[in-house]
Amino acid sequence: MNYRLEPQPYEWISRDNAIRFTFEGREFQAFEGDSISSGLLANGQSILGRSFKYHRPRGALTLANHDVNALFQTDEKPNVRGDVVALEPGMTLTACNVNGTVIKDKDAKIEYAARFLPVGFYYKTFHKPKKLFPFWEKIIRSKAGLGQVNTQWDAQRQSKSYAFCDLLVIGAGLSGMQSALAAADAQLNVVLVDENPFIGGSLDYQLAHEPRVKALRESLKASVSTHPNIRLYTSTLAVGWYTDHYLPLLTPHGIIKLRSRAVVHATGVMEQPAVFRNNDLPGVMMASGIQRLISRYAVKPGQNALVLTSNDEGYRAALDMCEAGIAVVAVVDMESIAQRGEWAERVLAKGIRVLEKHGIYEAIGRQSVQRVIVAPLSGESCDLAKKDVIDCDLIAMSVGWVPAAQLIYQAGGKLSYDETLQQFVPESLPKGIFVCGRLNGAFTVDQRISDAKAVAQEAVAFLKGQHEPRDLSQYRDTTAHSHPWPIIEHPKGKNFIDFDEDLQLKDLKNAILEGFDNIELLKRFSTVGMGPSQGKHSNMNAIRVLARAQGLSINATGSTTARPFFHPVPISALAGRRFRPERRSPLHAWHEAHQAKFMEAGVWLRPEYYGASSARLDCIQEEVEAVRSRLGIIDVSTLGKIEVMGPDAARLLDLAYTMKMSTLKQGMTRYALMVDDSGVIIDDGIVGRVASDQFYVTATTSHADATYKVLSKYVQFCRLNVRLVNRTGSLAAINLAGPESRKVLAPLTSISLSESDFPYLGMREGLLCGYPVRLIRVGFVGELGYEIHLPHDAALEVWQRLMAAGQTVGIKPFGVEAQRILRLEKGHIIIGQDTDGLTHPYEVGMSWAVPLNSKAWFTGKPSLARLKSSCQRQLVGFKLAQGAPKDLVKECHLVIDNNEMVGRVTSVAYSPTQQCVIGLVMLDQPYADTSNPIHIRVDDGRLIRGERCRLPFYDPEGIRQTSAVEEVLL
Amino acid sequence: MKSVQLTPITDWQAWILTGPDSSVAFTGMEAPAEVMTAVFSDGHLIAKTGRDEFLAFVKESAVQPQSTWCFRRHDRILQIQGSAWEEAMLCLCQFDFHRMQPNEWQMLAVAGINCWLWKDPNPDQGILIGFDPGYAEYLEHIFHDVIHELELRSVNLGGAL
Amino acid sequence: MKLLECPVIGKRPISEFDYMGEIRIPPLAADEKTWSEYVFNRKGAPCSLKEAWYHRPTGRWYVVVRNTLTDEIEAHVDISEVQYELPA
């Protein structure tokens, strides 16, 4: 049977585009624009899912994402919300949490054990004995679970973007459209968002057949869609509010991070269920849910309807159902019909039976509603002596509303309970947060228009800095649209408050009796409002139950806190585009063309070594060997390079570095060690003096920006007359190292390289291959070497000329790994590898770099003065026996003594010059003070013995880097 | 159809000048007086980035600035223009480009990289963005991705979109 | 606070800044206790804190008074007001 109605005036479906999909293996047909739920309902599939705990059959309730009765699983996605997710051609769906099919769920028998499964049952029963919990957890999860995550998922990222506006209006219903328009007319730059694919909100489903709003609807829709000051985003959710009006807008393309100057919430209200026995049977729906189904999807939810109401909206829904050809068998009004308006008159005029001051005692039916027991209300219960049984297959509940105020709570707004409206309404709002419409208690069309115009005016004034908060209650309705107690007791229960979590009235009452009598405690113990719909249909009734049990007002009972996100946000949207900066040296392309294997060094990519990865160790060894015996060349462009100039330049460096820089002679360099206030080493480099008032400072690759920042902080806060220029990216740097370096370099440069003109640690300026360069005699790798600092655009040419000139002596480019071995042979530490966040100079044998007596002050001096005599650790060199495997000991392996950890390996490598494995260990001071051998626990658990060595391992006198190379070779 | 074009600008020599004599380093060129403003004239772009600090982008053929502390820079400079250049930038940078005035100079983070931006007074010319040359591949790659995505994306409703 | 409004550069997202903590002057001739107090302890209780913020893209320093309870900026302070001398 087809449940599709004749075309409706504002329907979302496109009847020209039929789509086919399968549910539980059966093929169905629907239209483009259908949601999953409407597509199934159009085919007469009234059971859409099974409940979380008892596996009760569930059908459509709100059609608005205020419940999760209809949760589906596709091949890729779990927990697809059928009410709001559009059908796609070829979709293959099953229901979540079903063992079998939704019609025949083998786990439905769990319901018969319901009375043995009270709230708190799992907490109380399964936590002892602890070791059995994993067993029970597995069973509970499979029986009471949500969807299955596809672990073969595809990594997807949706890009994010930023947006800015004066005013964000959330909700494009009557109030939202009107306020957006008024604000845009006042020249504000407005963003209007709505979660639905079409604008119009409740105008299009609650007032679809109301002739008086036809012209208004058309004019508002047309105006907001074309206004030059409005950006309209449909199918877009404002999923959270963050400080300074920063709101993530979840669009189908990903997240827009919107920065607004103010926000108008026109998010409306969410309909609440009545609580009676079997109120969760398929066929029991919110009146607004029925109206959505009819107006948006043209689907007929039943043949014979009964309306339970306590407001005008119920009568309006009855008329809409008549219009759609549904027989309305009765309207059951919980209050007196005398207080109803024209809608009730029109219902009576149609000859529909109206029962006033009645309630529903119970709905009856196996898989869906078949009949209803109604009875006069007597106090809070039903007078069963006068009960009536009415046959129907559809129950429309229209007993009350709650404001969609989640984002207002997030922003720090306060709501209070209005006894006239029997609804929460905003009471006080933070700066820049505004509200209007039904959310604010304005219910009639006239009230909503006035409220929307007033809020726009208020927002405009606020943005001009002339804000006077308005009287929020000015356009509020004067009659209640919610019933204060839409709840009917039943001795057999199954009167549900929370449909997500299968919570019945008695579950909450028992929890309160057990002492969980505060709204936050009640929530956590009973889990009310903690399901996927996050209390959208359950919190209000839970508050009413708690308030009554405690004899408190609703205000005194309070509400739970709403947190982001308002709606689940896919991880792909949260992930966004990947911003992982990657920095390349000007020689990158050359390295790439010469088989460099790259590694990350901070944000930089650096050659680790050159050659085939299958021969990694051999390549590295050859590179080391080339530097030691002939000539190597390495790209060190990643070094931080800072120019320090001005009358106070020397003073700045004296403050920032441990060693005295003011005594440095022009044209000379000095090792520079930087510690923080606590004496911990944070960076090292060299300082070279260019002129009396100009220095050139280098910093380690990963600390360059931080070092610049530290220096600039002194300049600013210690009133120093110094200028800094960070030249890291504008200059390249190349280290030419090895006994042949002078011979190869000399013909290419204007600078005299003789030992007397250019000694070790000297710095010279001049030309190299015609480019202006600075040369520095450095000794990091322990050979005669020149660090060449040159313009970024000269790097490639100079590098190639050096390679060509070095051809005859067998020059070899070397990478970071070879450099690490070379410096390890020299016993030079690498900050951050051989040091950690607590290491001070005395622990790494650098007391020579801490002039406590000769300097009045440098950062960290008082700490180091104290630490000098209380070292807790010591960096010590070690080597393994010749012939020991080259890669057995690794960095971070532990040093063990009598089964206790006494240290760890910070650096280790096979040294070609020493012909054995060498390394550094950071030892606890007591063990360092002994002369015991070092036992290192390696991956397989064995202890490997190493012998202590004095540092450096190679050329302890430093002859090779300091003297004329000819002398060394003799 | 949305369009964004990315063009590298390579006909400038870039300089950073600092110190007391930096403001008199520009012979025959107009230099800005206010910090964080820029002047574009005769094909040169000069921005004042500190009390006595300037970034200067000078045509190769012109006399280059000279002062005691004057250093070459090698900024990678891209021109981003086309109907959707703002939209492309908004995928990478938290800045309200809609409010950016002609000739406005800004220094901000784009895709995690510190950049300078200058809005050409001719609206068809879009903006210039300059940054450390080491990030050229990274940023250009991201820009190409963003532009590709924008060209595929459907247009939203609303008069302002 | 997600935006920090500063002189010259205007309103900027705090992701462009490095937070450098309270402005503190090292106690020069301090005894051990005062010095370790300075090195290891920071004010944690809510208060109006005079803080340094570093804007990375421009390399500019800002000093603000921030209410650490409400996370609002109460005042901007000229750096010259918080400068200090260190021994040569």
Side-chain angles (χ1 to χ4, degrees):
Chain A
M1 188 176 165
N2 193 346
Y3 292 78
R4 196 71 75 174
L5 294 164
E6 290 301 302
Q8 299 293 306
Y10 309 106
E11 67 184 20
W12 290 359
I13 51 171
S14 149
R15 290 176 189 254
D16 298 335
N17 297 311
I19 51 179
R20 306 192 76 81
F21 67 101
T22 61
F23 173 61
E24 293 187 334
R26 287 200 294 145
E27 188 159 293
F28 292 94
Q29 185 176 309
F31 293 122
E32 192 184 292
D34 261 316
S35 69
I36 296 171
S37 297
S38 73
L40 287 168
L41 291 167
N43 287 281
Q45 178 80 38
S46 60
I47 302 179
L48 301 177
R50 287 278 171 167
S51 72
F52 179 69
K53 192 168 161 191
Y54 303 135
H55 288 252
R56 285 171 64 91
R58 289 283 168 80
L61 180 64
T62 63
L63 267 301
N65 203 14
H66 304 157
D67 73 283
V68 291
N69 279 356
L71 272 191
F72 298 95
Q73 173 93 37
T74 70
D75 290 343
E76 301 87 34
K77 290 182 186 163
N79 308 326
V80 175
R81 298 182 178 216
D83 284 1
V84 289
V85 172
L87 268 177
E88 287 163 31
M91 242 182 181
T92 306
L93 301 156
T94 54
C96 291
N97 203 34
V98 166
N99 182 3
T101 67
V102 287
I103 310 262
K104 276 183 99 77
D105 181 353
K106 295 187 195 87
D107 286 339
K109 58 186 183 296
I110 290 175
E111 188 186 348
Y112 301 111
R115 68 193 180 96
F116 305 113
L117 300 171
V119 155
F121 173 72
Y122 299 107
Y123 300 149
K124 290 168 181 167
T125 312
F126 295 110
H127 74 284
K128 274 180 187 171
K130 215 170 178 177
K131 65 176 179 193
L132 279 181
F133 184 74
F135 168 75
W136 291 118
E137 187 189 19
K138 209 175 156 195
I139 292 181
I140 295 165
R141 282 196 190 280
S142 79
K143 296 298 172 200
L146 297 167
Q148 303 271 321
V149 174
N150 177 1
T151 50
Q152 304 297 306
W153 56 279
D154 243 1
Q156 288 174 2
R157 288 169 173 273
Q158 288 185 296
S159 57
K160 293 184 199 174
S161 63
Y162 296 99
F164 298 82
C165 68
D166 294 325
L167 186 67
L168 168 67
V169 179
I170 308 172
L174 170 56
S175 310
M177 290 194 290
Q178 180 62 70
S179 56
L181 198 57
D185 282 341
Q187 299 312 315
L188 293 191
N189 175 353
V190 177
V191 168
L192 175 62
V193 298
D194 197 286
E195 61 184 315
N196 295 301
F198 296 94
I199 57 173
S202 63
L203 269 185
D204 287 4
Y205 61 87
Q206 279 195 319
L207 296 168
H209 299 291
E210 173 53 56
R212 284 170 291 181
V213 297
K214 194 165 189 285
L216 173 70
R217 170 193 297 117
E218 251 119 69
S219 119
L220 282 176
K221 283 187 179 179
S223 303
V224 297
S225 303
T226 54
H227 200 294
N229 294 341
I230 297 178
R231 279 172 281 171
L232 174 62
Y233 293 93
T234 51
S235 300
T236 295
L237 282 128
V239 287
W241 180 95
Y242 298 88
T243 314
D244 294 336
H245 306 307
Y246 196 29
L247 295 101
L249 306 179
L250 180 63
T251 80
H253 306 294
I255 288 175
I256 297 173
K257 296 190 272 187
L258 179 74
R259 179 82 69 191
S260 187
R261 295 169 62 210
V263 184
V264 168
H265 296 262
T267 44
V269 286
M270 302 179 288
E271 189 151 41
Q272 300 298 294
V275 179
F276 54 84
R277 178 167 165 80
N278 292 334
N279 62 343
D280 67 328
L281 270 182
V284 183
M285 291 179 72
M286 307 286 189
S288 58
I290 291 170
Q291 288 170 308
R292 286 188 188 99
L293 192 60
I294 293 172
S295 298
R296 292 175 172 175
Y297 308 107
V299 171
K300 196 175 181 180
Q303 307 301 328
N304 298 294
L306 178 139
V307 178
L308 174 68
T309 188
S310 67
N311 51 25
D312 283 348
E313 288 92 323
Y315 289 88
R316 217 153 57 192
L319 293 168
D320 282 353
M321 286 192 277
C322 291
E323 185 84 26
I326 300 168
V328 178
V329 294
V331 173
V332 176
D333 195 325
M334 297 182 76
E335 288 155 332
S336 159
I337 195 170
Q339 64 197 87
R340 305 289 171 232
E342 54 166 315
W343 310 94
E345 283 163 31
R346 279 156 68 176
V347 164
L348 287 170
K350 281 189 180 286
I352 294 170
R353 182 181 173 196
V354 176
L355 294 158
E356 57 176 340
K357 296 175 186 165
H358 271 61
I360 294 182
Y361 182 66
E362 175 175 357
I364 297 169
R366 279 183 58 83
Q367 299 242 337
S368 64
V369 176
Q370 287 163 320
R371 59 191 150 293
V372 184
I373 299 176
V374 296
L377 288 170
S378 153
E380 280 161 27
S381 52
C382 283
D383 181 357
L384 290 178
K386 295 177 189 158
K387 75 173 182 189
D388 196 354
V389 179
I390 301 173
D391 285 350
C392 65
D393 61 355
L394 180 65
I395 296 175
M397 301 182 285
S398 181
V399 295
W401 308 90
V402 296
Q406 282 84 347
L407 264 58
I408 299 173
Y409 281 115
Q410 287 174 27
K414 285 195 169 55
L415 281 81
S416 64
Y417 193 73
D418 183 309
E419 297 284 345
T420 306
L421 291 166
Q422 299 292 347
Q423 178 192 318
F424 274 108
V425 287
E427 182 188 84
S428 65
L429 297 168
K431 266 193 272 179
I433 298 283
F434 304 99
V435 292
C436 70
R438 290 199 291 169
L439 162 73
N440 189 34
F443 273 85
T444 70
V445 169
D446 290 344
Q447 287 164 355
R448 284 147 83 182
I449 290 175
S450 303
D451 206 36
K453 286 180 174 167
V455 84
Q457 215 171 13
E458 191 188 12
V460 169
F462 168 79
L463 291 175
K464 285 183 182 156
Q466 310 155 344
H467 183 233
E468 289 265 320
R470 69 182 181 120
D471 172 12
L472 287 172
S473 65
Q474 195 181 356
Y475 299 109
R476 278 181 192 154
D477 208 348
T478 49
T479 55
H481 289 257
S482 297
H483 194 281
W485 187 252
I487 295 167
I488 304 290
E489 300 257 7
H490 194 291
K492 288 189 186 160
K494 301 285 154 55
N495 37 8
F496 288 93
I497 294 215
D498 191 320
F499 291 58
D500 291 10
E501 302 278 291
D502 267 352
L503 289 171
Q504 312 167 45
L505 177 58
K506 68 167 185 202
D507 292 325
L508 295 194
K509 288 188 160 184
N510 288 340
I512 296 165
L513 285 176
E514 286 200 48
F516 300 96
D517 53 3
N518 161 294
I519 189 67
E520 296 285 356
L521 290 176
L522 178 64
K523 170 181 166 177
R524 279 156 185 79
F525 183 68
S526 69
T527 70
V528 65
M530 287 170 70
S533 53
Q534 289 285 289
K536 292 184 178 83
H537 68 264
S538 59
N539 269 355
M540 192 63 230
N541 281 332
I543 294 169
R544 292 192 198 280
V545 169
L546 178 61
R548 188 152 296 207
Q550 297 287 94
L552 293 171
S553 69
I554 299 280
N555 271 334
T557 304
S559 184
T560 52
T561 314
R563 295 191 179 83
F565 292 124
F566 174 73
H567 182 80
V569 178
I571 299 289
S572 57
L574 282 177
R577 184 187 307 281
R578 195 170 200 209
F579 291 139
R580 196 154 180 272
E582 200 180 270
R583 204 169 176 183
R584 295 180 177 190
S585 112
L587 296 165
H588 189 92
W590 189 95
H591 301 319
E592 226 165 19
H594 290 80
Q595 273 196 295
K597 298 293 171 292
F598 289 95
M599 59 176 276
E600 292 182 351
V603 289
W604 292 91
L605 283 182
R606 298 193 66 183
E608 186 189 1
Y609 61 95
Y610 299 80
S613 27
S614 55
R616 179 177 179 275
L617 279 178
D618 290 339
C619 294
I620 295 166
Q621 300 286 322
E622 281 169 27
E623 291 172 16
V624 170
E625 200 263 334
V627 175
R628 289 279 178 248
S629 64
R630 308 187 305 274
L631 185 58
I633 184 169
I634 182 170
D635 178 4
V636 291
S637 300
T638 59
L639 285 175
K641 307 171 206 77
I642 303 166
E643 212 82 37
V644 180
M645 299 147 293
D648 294 331
R651 189 165 143 63
L652 165 67
L653 299 173
D654 276 350
L655 291 175
Y657 288 99
T658 56
M659 283 161 83
K660 202 156 190 153
M661 299 302 174
S662 48
T663 54
L664 195 58
K665 289 192 177 67
Q666 199 169 317
M668 291 305 287
T669 65
R670 188 166 286 167
Y671 177 73
L673 184 69
M674 189 180 270
V675 301
D676 64 13
D677 277 328
S678 62
V680 168
I681 299 172
I682 53 175
D683 193 30
D684 70 351
I686 59 144
V687 167
R689 192 161 207 159
V690 179
S692 64
D693 62 350
Q694 185 175 1
F695 292 82
Y696 184 61
V697 177
T698 68
T700 55
T701 297
S702 53
H703 207 262
D705 289 339
T707 294
Y708 178 82
K709 190 166 68 179
V710 167
L711 294 177
S712 94
K713 191 178 178 192
Y714 286 111
V715 171
Q716 293 294 324
F717 289 91
C718 297
R719 204 180 299 139
L720 298 177
N721 189 355
V722 174
R723 307 295 188 286
L724 298 172
V725 173
N726 188 347
R727 303 182 71 194
T728 304
S730 291
L731 293 178
I734 297 165
N735 186 10
L736 190 68
E740 306 281 1
S741 55
R742 180 178 290 151
K743 198 168 93 187
V744 168
L745 187 60
L748 301 174
T749 179
S750 65
I751 301 165
S752 163
L753 302 186
S754 74
E755 193 65 30
S756 52
D757 287 349
F758 192 175
Y760 180 55
L761 298 181
M763 178 172 75
R764 296 289 180 272
E765 291 183 329
L767 295 176
L768 174 61
C769 307
Y771 293 101
V773 298
R774 274 187 192 137
L775 299 186
I776 303 170
R777 284 260 322 251
V778 291
F780 189 54
V781 299
E783 298 295 338
L784 176 69
Y786 298 87
E787 210 168 82
I788 305 159
H789 292 245
L790 70 172
H792 184 271
D793 58 353
L796 182 59
E797 189 191 331
V798 169
W799 176 279
Q800 284 172 326
R801 300 264 308 262
L802 290 169
M803 283 300 295
Q807 200 87 60
T808 50
V809 300
I811 190 172
K812 218 172 163 33
F814 64 105
V816 176
E817 263 318 306
Q819 183 180 243
R820 279 184 180 168
I821 296 175
L822 291 160
R823 66 86 208 180
L824 178 59
E825 290 177 338
K826 285 296 293 176
H828 293 150
I829 61 162
I830 295 177
I831 310 294
Q833 176 173 333
D834 300 302
T835 72
D836 57 31
L838 293 171
T839 310
H840 58 77
Y842 296 110
E843 291 180 334
V844 293
M846 284 200 181
S847 53
W848 54 267
V850 188
L852 286 180
N853 299 325
S854 62
K855 271 180 83 175
W857 185 264
F858 57 85
T859 297
K861 186 187 168 196
S863 295
L864 288 174
R866 172 73 177 78
L867 289 166
K868 186 177 184 183
S869 56
S870 58
C871 264
Q872 295 191 328
R873 302 182 299 176
Q874 199 63 240
L875 197 67
V876 172
F878 74 95
K879 65 178 178 190
L880 302 186
Q882 284 196 348
K886 289 178 182 177
D887 51 0
L888 197 57
V889 173
K890 294 174 187 158
E891 280 150 22
C892 283
H893 276 164
L894 298 177
V895 181
I896 303 291
D897 175 49
N898 274 327
N899 277 322
E900 294 288 327
M901 286 183 278
V902 294
R904 70 181 166 86
V905 177
T906 63
S907 287
V908 64
Y910 177 77
S911 161
T913 54
Q914 305 299 299
Q915 307 254 304
C916 64
V917 172
I918 59 170
L920 299 170
V921 283
M922 185 64 93
L923 293 181
D924 292 346
Q925 194 66 46
Y927 196 73
D929 289 339
T930 70
S931 54
N932 297 345
I934 287 159
H935 296 284
I936 298 161
R937 176 155 287 158
V938 295
D939 285 346
D940 64 8
R942 272 184 302 156
L943 285 179
I944 301 297
R945 184 189 160 110
E947 297 303 327
R948 296 184 187 219
C949 301
R950 286 182 63 86
L951 296 175
F953 299 95
Y954 174 76
D955 184 25
E957 283 79 39
I959 295 165
R960 295 182 68 93
Q961 72 229 40
T962 52
S963 304
V965 89
E966 291 78 7
E967 295 161 30
V968 176
L969 292 176
L970 285 173
Chain B
M1 181 68 190
K2 295 181 181 186
S3 78
V4 189
Q5 294 95 46
L6 208 61
T7 322
I9 303 288
T10 52
D11 46 7
W12 271 335
Q13 284 207 26
W15 299 91
I16 179 167
L17 297 90
T18 186
D21 64 345
S22 60
S23 57
V24 295
F26 305 101
T27 39
M29 286 177 226
E30 201 182 325
E34 295 292 316
V35 176
M36 288 296 146
T37 63
V39 167
F40 178 70
S41 71
D42 289 343
H44 316 299
L45 176 65
I46 300 175
K48 184 161 177 171
T49 53
R51 184 167 39 94
D52 52 15
E53 186 185 276
F54 295 86
L55 288 185
F57 305 91
V58 178
K59 282 190 295 189
E60 300 252 348
S61 55
V63 179
Q64 300 299 315
Q66 280 199 322
S67 73
T68 318
W69 298 320
C70 174
F71 304 98
R72 269 299 298 276
R73 296 206 358 157
H74 295 89
D75 299 39
R76 178 71 172 170
I77 303 173
L78 301 173
Q79 180 178 31
I80 299 161
Q81 67 200 116
S83 62
W85 74 260
E86 276 187 36
E87 220 175 314
M89 286 305 294
L90 282 170
C91 294
L92 305 175
C93 179
Q94 193 178 158
F95 183 75
D96 191 356
F97 291 94
H98 198 65
R99 290 176 186 272
M100 197 174 184
Q101 300 299 310
N103 262 318
E104 188 172 320
W105 171 268
Q106 287 291 347
M107 297 177 86
L108 31 82
V110 178
I113 303 300
N114 295 332
C115 295
W116 58 260
L117 294 107
W118 175 73
K119 188 168 182 180
D120 198 293
N122 177 351
D124 295 340
Q125 298 291 309
I127 55 163
L128 296 188
I129 168 169
F131 50 91
D132 186 289
Y135 293 115
E137 286 83 0
Y138 164 72
L139 260 188
E140 282 164 34
H141 184 75
I142 283 190
F143 268 118
H144 284 121
D145 278 357
V146 166
I147 292 166
H148 179 67
E149 269 177 39
L150 283 180
E151 284 169 353
L152 295 177
R153 195 177 294 177
S154 64
V155 183
N156 280 288
L157 300 169
L161 281 172
Chain C
M1 185 178 69
K2 296 274 178 200
L3 295 173
L4 182 52
E5 182 153 18
C6 288
V8 183
I9 60 168
K11 224 178 225 185
R12 288 306 174 83
I14 53 170
S15 57
E16 285 186 359
F17 291 86
D18 287 345
Y19 174 64
M20 302 301 288
E22 188 193 359
I23 306 269
R24 298 173 332 128
I25 299 164
L28 296 177
D31 59 22
E32 203 167 90
K33 191 168 177 297
T34 315
W35 179 256
S36 56
E37 185 80 10
Y38 166 78
V39 170
F40 296 112
N41 292 337
R42 302 289 185 274
K43 276 185 206 160
C47 63
S48 290
L49 204 63
K50 204 178 278 181
E51 305 174 328
W53 291 74
Y54 176 75
H55 185 242
R56 287 190 306 276
T58 54
R60 297 179 79 85
W61 288 87
Y62 290 97
V63 179
V64 301
V65 179
R66 186 173 63 105
N67 182 324
T68 57
L69 186 63
T70 62
D71 201 17
E72 279 166 356
I73 301 299
E74 294 173 336
H76 277 272
V77 178
D78 197 285
I79 288 185
S80 64
E81 290 173 37
V82 294
Q83 282 171 333
Y84 52 90
E85 295 272 336
L86 290 175

